[in-house]
Structures are given as C-alpha cells and as structure tokens.
Amino acid sequence: MRQETAVYTHGHHPSVLRSHTWRTAANSAAYLLGELSELPPDARVLDIGCGPGTITADLAALVPHGRVTGVDRDPGVVERARAHAAGRGLANADFAVADVNALDHPDGSFDVVHAHQVLQHLADPVHALREMRRVCRPGGVVAVRDADYGAFAWFPEVPALDTWLALYRRVARANGGEPDAGRRLLSWARAAGFTDITATAATWCFATPDDRAWWSGLWAERTVSSQYATVAVAGGHTTADGLAALADGWREWSAQDDAWFLVPHGELLCRV
C-alpha cells in the first residue's frame, strides 16, 4: 500500500487554520457547483484533504439527499471538521482519516471526487489522481483546484515578499511538493489517464483594508510560528531572524493604501 512521503509544509497552526476555515464552496469550488446541480438526489461526494471541513459542509448542504465524505491525513483536523458539520446540523456528512494514495473505498464509489489545495503537497500527484479516478463512478467527475505560487502577483513591490516567495517555493519542493501546481494540473491529469478534461483558472484577490490585514496577518504569523517556519530553519533554508524580516515585509506591504495581492489557481473537471 502506497503512503504519502511528502511533508505537509503548512501544518495546522492556528494561522493556517484561519485561512482554511475562510474557504467556502463559493470562494474555492465555484467551478464545481454547476456539476452538483446535475447530480442524482442520492449522490455521493468525496472531499479529499478536507481540513476543518468548511468546503465539505457546504457541499453537503448542496446535496441534502446525498452523502458527502470528508477525509484528511490529520486526525485532529478531522475532528474539527466533524464538529463543524455537526454545528451546522448536517446529518449527511461523515469524516475519516485517510491517505489519498490508498483510499479505503471500492472502485466507483462516488459521483464526485473533489480535492482543493491537495495535489501541490503530494510527492506523486499523478498517482493520487489515478486513485481519485478509481473511486469515481463511470460518468462521474474528479474536480481538483490548486494555487500556483510562481504566478502570485502583488503591489507595491516590497522586496521582502520576493524573498518570501522564493523561500516558500524552495522549502515546499524540499518537502517533496510542487508549489506551482496550478499550471501543472492539466499535465498531471493527462498523465493519470484522463481524456475528458475541462481546464479553467480562477483567483483570490486581497485588496480591501480588511482583506489585506487578514491575508498579511496570517502569512506574517505563519512565517514565524507554523510548521513551515520550523522546517524552513531545520532544513537550512533560512534563520529565525530571516523569517522575522519576512514577517515584517508582510506587515509593510499591508500598510500601503494601494496594496493588492493576487492568488491564481488552476482548476480541472475530469470526467471518468
């Protein structure tokens, strides 16, 4: 049985979970919503890498007569997801600890298999896509969405953010992942054997004062306090002082009245 070998760069520090719990089906899976409206009433959906379960819960609300299963490798975050769904009164959502490389489900178990910001953290995303295809029924859809760090753009051009981005990409690759996943999704899906693929792109944009403060604040904290900070220093990529300077750069950027940040994503709908 194949198991994941890449290190999850971000970990589950509170600064990371603030970002994850912000995600909804509307702001992170809009490309999939039209597919959900076409599903049979008893549809089954698998949400891989569900994290704290906010997207999973939204998907469950959209298929009230179906069933949505959220899975993640981290038992603690699975418990958070379970509590979130229960707090929303969703009886059609269940959660489990699982590895995308070896899903504990028979072939053709789900109408939709969804993964948001997952493939970038995997050592072998092509194998993961093959496993996602295996558990998706014929006629169903595998839906994946990943950011592309190399295409991030911002203004003003604070030099510390250039250093931050170069460092993040270096650390993520040293951990076995691919931070520029968005542009590679189509290639990976073709290598996994998919032929009926719809490829799109979408963005997050942080430009209001509140959005800038939130986005820069979580990255400033993540840069010095999360698992990313630990592995960046332990791997010899930087120092604690270097990370502190990057956190200051995030705060410098956010303080500008005309500050703007773009996060592009690749998206795929792969029909089985």
Side-chain angles (χ1 to χ4, degrees), residues 129-130 132-134 141-142 188-197 270-272:
L129 281 162
R130 290 186 182 126
M132 294 168 72
R133 184 180 64 179
R134 180 188 69 79
V141 65
V142 171
W188 290 342
R190 288 172 58 85
F194 290 102
T195 56
D196 187 351
I197 306 168
C270 307
R271 297 207 171 275
V272 176

Side-chain angles (χ1 to χ4, degrees), residues 6-72:
V7 174
Y8 179 47
T9 298
H10 298 286
H12 293 96
H13 186 268
S15 60
V16 177
L17 291 175
R18 286 203 306 275
S19 171
H20 292 180
T21 55
W22 167 83
R23 298 171 184 172
T24 65
N27 68 28
S28 299
Y31 73 109
L32 175 59
L33 300 188
E35 298 293 320
L36 296 180
S37 66
E38 302 296 325
L39 292 177
D42 60 348
R44 295 194 65 198
V45 178
L46 178 64
D47 187 23
I48 295 172
C50 66
T54 50
I55 296 176
T56 319
D58 283 352
L59 298 178
L62 291 168
V63 289
H65 303 294
R67 186 111 202 131
V68 178
T69 298
V71 298
D72 200 284

Side-chain angles (χ1 to χ4, degrees), residues 154-245:
W154 59 85
F155 184 86
E157 297 178 357
V158 175
L161 292 192
D162 292 317
T163 305
W164 161 80
L165 182 58
L167 174 65
Y168 177 83
R169 294 167 81 200
R170 188 163 65 248
V171 171
R173 288 178 175 136
N175 284 343
E178 176 45 69
D180 300 352
R183 71 189 68 184
R184 291 173 165 81
L185 293 183
L186 179 58
S187 174
W188 290 342
R190 288 172 58 85
F194 290 102
T195 56
D196 187 351
I197 306 168
T198 301
T200 56
T203 64
W204 293 333
C205 185
F206 304 100
T208 69
D210 286 346
D211 285 350
R212 291 197 304 266
W214 177 78
W215 181 245
S216 65
L218 68 86
W219 267 110
E221 185 177 352
R222 189 184 304 193
T223 297
V224 297
S225 301
S226 69
Q227 177 172 291
Y228 161 67
T230 301
V231 298
V233 173
H237 302 286
T238 187
T239 64
D241 287 344
L243 292 175

